[in-house]
Amino acid sequence: MRSLGIPLVVLSFAMVAPPAIGPLAASVCAVYCDTRDPSLAREETFPVAEKVVNGRRIVLHVSNVDGMAWGSIDNGTLGNSIWLDRSWDGGPSWDGLLGKASIPGTWTGTRTLMYNIYDPSNHRRGVVRACGDAGGIACTDWVHARVCAATLCDGLNAASAVGDSQPVPEAGISNRRIGLHFDNRGLAWGTLANGRAGDEVWLDRSWDNGVSWPGGSSLGRVSVPAGATSTRTTMFHSRDTRGLLYAGAVRACGRAVEGQSGSCTAWARPANNRADAVAASLMWAYQPDTAWWLSSWWNSAVAVHTVIDYTRRTGKTDYLWVVDRTFEVNKGVFPAGVKSSDPIEGHFISRAIDDTEWWALAWIAAYDLTGNAKYLTEAVTIANYVNGFWDTSRCGGGVWWDRERTYKNAVTNGLWVRLTAALHNRLAGDTLWLNRATTSWNWFNASGMINSAGLVNDGINAACQNNGQTVWTYNQGLAFGAALEVWRATGTAQTLTRARQLADAAIGSPLLAPNGLLTESCDSLTASCDDNQKQFKGVFMRYLMELADTTAALPYRAFATTQSDRIWLSGRDSLNRIGQRWSGQTSATNPNVRDWRTQASALSAILAALPAPA
């Protein structure tokens, strides 16, 4: 996140004491952690009126760009105190006395430290107020009790909706029909039809996929008026960008007047735009505090690359902050078990050479998106490290898969070709990386890893021959993605032809694309994909998108459209979560697993079906 350049307003304390920390609640971390110094706030606003008790001013300060608040007391005397309360259920209950500070000595005022208003990593939306004790206790109003975006706040009349879609079937109770509606901006409202006077309808809103809905129950609750048979709620937001809560879930509920039982629709998210819907559900799993998608290191590199692709493809910048946040937090050193089973040694480097290369490609994409040279510099640093594992003594070339030099495989070398060619294409006057790109491409293309059907097996054996192991979709995608980048570097028509041959072999293969649907070998109903394999198909689709953009060949975009349609119609649930099997098939023993890895993979397919931006 960047600073908005808004100056801090300084209160007119005669003398301001440093805060004395009061009782501790569970610390919350978002972009920053609780107890941050208010002098570091990137803005200062006063969204609620101050309170005055016995002449003392109690003020709530909010930095929306930081998602944090602090309190201050002024015109006070010795022993007067200030603190924050924070509630996760809209105000009925709260964690109190946060950062409690008392005025000492001859000071006339003091302030608390800053506390987070929201907890996006744990999918909680909070509200905060400032309270003070000056011979009597008084509190400001709760801040951000309603969700607002620009000038649109919860409680808008549904007559002002822009569009109307119903993503889930209506619910019923005693012949009443209860419907959930979204407009094109993600605002939701509920309707009740075929009712009678006194029937009620309302919305529930959840930030944790419908597991709970504290602070979001009975929103807009309204009764059917006398003489009518229908009614509707006002509109409420399904996301809170200010709190980094991009994927709230909403349902409509109703109650018949003649009974106490009720009925609700399924939980749902807006679904009028495929890319936006799938991206929001991917961002639901992003951890702003630790700046990654929890518990998968190289997969997080691919996911942030996908967010970059989304930003470039759609022109929407909601998640742009994620790119730099991920870079700055993760470029350091982490012991084994924190980000990976291996230690991370700085600059995204670890013993797994392919893991390291994924991060380099992500930062090249970040450079392309932002123009910030620090990302390209980081990619060069990573590439220099990887170059130390290029070895001609075994099989005449190739980069080793790991630091122990146990295996030469397709993923490591496909990544290396792509990386070296990409660096040449972005470094003015370069010849070093061009030589490495052409050398590595020529070696890879002739290595034997590409079989007679034009499909890429996993690697080569000790005898430097194709080992016949699984043809994974990401190896195929990296092969033609690497060839495409080398063609950009050299202009050699033969290389572009080779890229197309490799892509054509895949989309025409009964192994990789039976009935036109991209399929991993582990997609079988008798198998399950591991956390790595869940993301393979998205890598294939990323580079097919590039090939379609470059060649304008209709079969590539048509193939991407088929994937997008099947995903949307068969593989998606009402929260816009996509499963590993894009067909949507599932079984009791091997269910169609949905998590953020399968979400990132599907998003790449959705993006590939979109036309190239101008």
Side-chain angles (χ1 to χ4, degrees):
M1 290 179 163
R2 61 183 179 85
S3 170
L4 297 185
I6 301 175
L8 293 178
V9 177
V10 180
L11 294 179
S12 57
F13 299 155
M15 300 180 74
V16 181
I21 304 301
L24 295 178
S27 182
V28 171
C29 292
V31 174
Y32 304 109
C33 290
D34 286 349
T35 70
R36 185 170 171 83
D37 189 330
S39 68
L40 301 175
R42 291 178 289 170
E43 72 170 6
E44 185 175 35
T45 67
F46 305 93
V48 296
E50 65 184 46
K51 286 289 184 180
V52 177
V53 55
N54 294 326
R56 281 73 163 173
R57 296 172 53 233
I58 298 166
V59 181
L60 180 66
H61 312 247
V62 173
S63 173
N64 286 310
V65 295
D66 297 314
M68 304 188 83
W70 67 101
S72 66
I73 186 169
D74 193 15
N75 297 336
T77 58
L78 176 67
N80 293 165
S81 59
I82 182 74
W83 65 86
L84 295 180
D85 291 338
R86 179 169 59 198
S87 173
W88 301 113
D89 59 7
S93 65
W94 58 86
D95 299 326
L97 302 177
L98 298 180
K100 184 177 182 180
S102 298
I103 300 175
T106 57
W107 300 89
T108 61
T110 190
R111 65 187 180 188
T112 71
L113 295 174
M114 291 199 292
Y115 285 78
N116 281 292
I117 305 172
Y118 313 97
D119 184 12
S121 294
N122 292 299
H123 315 296
R124 297 190 295 174
R125 183 179 189 273
V127 292
V128 173
R129 67 183 180 185
C131 298
D133 186 353
I137 295 175
C139 298
T140 68
D141 291 336
W142 295 103
V143 73
H144 299 330
R146 296 190 299 166
V147 178
C148 295
T151 59
L152 303 177
C153 291
D154 285 346
L156 286 168
N157 191 323
S160 64
V162 180
D164 182 356
S165 63
Q166 290 185 254
V168 291
E170 293 179 331
I173 180 172
S174 301
N175 296 318
R176 279 78 162 174
R177 300 199 327 269
I178 301 159
L180 175 65
H181 303 251
F182 284 100
D183 83 349
N184 297 339
R185 301 164 298 182
L187 288 158
W189 70 99
T191 57
L192 188 146
N194 292 344
R196 55 184 288 193
D199 290 348
E200 293 181 316
V201 63
W202 65 89
L203 295 179
D204 291 336
R205 180 170 58 196
S206 172
W207 304 105
D208 59 4
N209 287 339
V211 175
S212 64
W213 46 102
S217 180
S218 295
L219 299 177
R221 192 173 190 128
V222 63
S223 298
V224 175
T229 60
S230 64
T231 191
R232 65 188 179 192
T233 71
T234 52
M235 296 194 295
F236 291 81
H237 285 280
S238 58
R239 66 201 311 246
D240 186 352
T241 57
R242 185 160 50 192
L244 309 183
L245 296 163
Y246 298 106
V250 182
R251 68 180 181 183
C253 299
R255 185 186 68 83
V257 68
E258 64 266 25
Q260 293 302 312
S261 61
S263 182
C264 297
T265 68
W267 291 101
R269 293 184 177 126
N272 59 299
N273 180 293
R274 292 182 184 184
D276 291 353
V278 177
S281 287
L282 172 62
M283 283 307 304
W284 183 88
Y286 184 74
Q287 303 284 299
D289 54 345
T290 49
W292 70 324
W293 284 265
L294 191 62
S295 299
S296 285
W297 177 241
W298 79 266
N299 305 71
S300 288
V302 176
V304 77
H305 196 160
T306 306
V307 169
I308 293 167
D309 290 343
Y310 166 82
T311 305
R312 294 186 69 189
R313 202 76 176 171
T314 66
K316 297 176 180 178
T317 58
D318 286 5
Y319 312 132
L320 181 59
W321 66 274
V322 171
V323 180
D324 200 59
R325 175 73 179 162
T326 305
F327 178 83
E328 291 296 338
V329 171
N330 290 289
K331 67 183 180 182
V333 176
F334 301 92
V338 175
K339 296 284 183 171
S340 170
S341 57
D342 298 319
I344 306 302
E345 300 162 3
H347 298 290
F348 305 90
I349 288 168
S350 68
R351 61 172 287 278
I353 309 305
D354 57 334
D355 286 11
T356 304
E357 292 171 307
W358 288 114
W359 285 105
L361 290 184
W363 301 133
I364 288 175
Y367 169 74
D368 291 344
L369 174 66
T370 67
N372 191 326
K374 72 178 182 181
Y375 298 122
L376 187 60
T377 298
E378 187 71 0
V380 171
T381 298
I382 294 170
N384 282 328
Y385 166 76
V386 175
N387 187 60
F389 295 90
W390 173 268
D391 176 28
T392 59
S393 67
R394 179 74 64 85
C395 306
V399 174
W400 292 101
W401 173 58
D402 56 12
R403 192 175 288 169
E404 292 75 20
R405 302 179 180 238
T406 61
Y407 186 33
K408 290 186 177 178
N409 63 356
V411 61
T412 310
N413 284 282
L415 287 163
W416 178 240
V417 176
R418 176 79 187 191
L419 174 56
T420 52
L423 289 177
H424 167 73
N425 292 334
R426 290 156 179 80
L427 295 170
D430 168 73
T431 58
L432 175 66
W433 294 106
L434 176 61
N435 179 64
R436 289 171 175 168
T438 54
T439 299
S440 59
W441 166 249
N442 290 335
W443 177 86
F444 177 75
N445 194 33
S447 67
M449 281 186 267
I450 304 172
N451 64 34
S452 60
L455 302 180
V456 182
N457 292 98
D458 194 66
I460 52 178
N461 59 26
C464 303
Q465 297 172 336
N466 186 312
N467 61 16
Q469 291 184 18
T470 305
V471 175
W472 298 109
T473 59
Y474 80 149
N475 283 334
Q476 196 76 20
L478 278 169
F480 62 74
L484 181 61
E485 195 72 10
V486 171
W487 170 76
R488 293 185 181 125
T490 65
T492 304
Q494 182 181 1
T495 310
L496 182 58
T497 298
R498 185 57 164 156
R500 296 192 62 171
Q501 290 172 345
L502 293 165
D504 293 345
I507 66 177
S509 167
L511 180 66
L512 292 185
N515 300 313
L517 186 66
L518 193 64
T519 302
E520 214 67 70
S521 59
C522 56
D523 285 350
S524 164
L525 286 174
T526 60
S528 296
C529 296
D530 67 24
D531 284 347
N532 294 321
Q533 296 155 2
K534 290 173 183 175
Q535 240 165 321
F536 287 178
K537 290 183 293 192
V539 174
F540 179 97
M541 294 306 301
R542 169 177 296 137
Y543 295 119
L544 189 73
M545 175 177 70
E546 285 194 16
L547 194 60
D549 291 348
T550 301
T551 64
L554 294 179
Y556 302 142
R557 193 76 73 209
F559 182 83
T561 300
T562 295
Q563 312 314 302
S564 179
D565 289 347
R566 290 291 297 276
I567 286 168
W568 194 252
L569 297 174
S570 302
R572 176 178 63 98
D573 69 8
S574 64
L575 297 179
N576 302 322
R577 298 175 299 188
I578 314 298
Q580 167 63 31
R581 299 185 190 97
W582 292 351
S583 65
Q585 291 179 301
T586 190
S587 72
T589 55
N590 295 285
N592 190 24
V593 175
R594 293 179 169 93
D595 65 17
W596 64 262
R597 303 164 191 84
T598 65
Q599 197 73 19
S601 185
L603 179 55
S604 289
I606 298 289
L607 295 174
L610 299 179

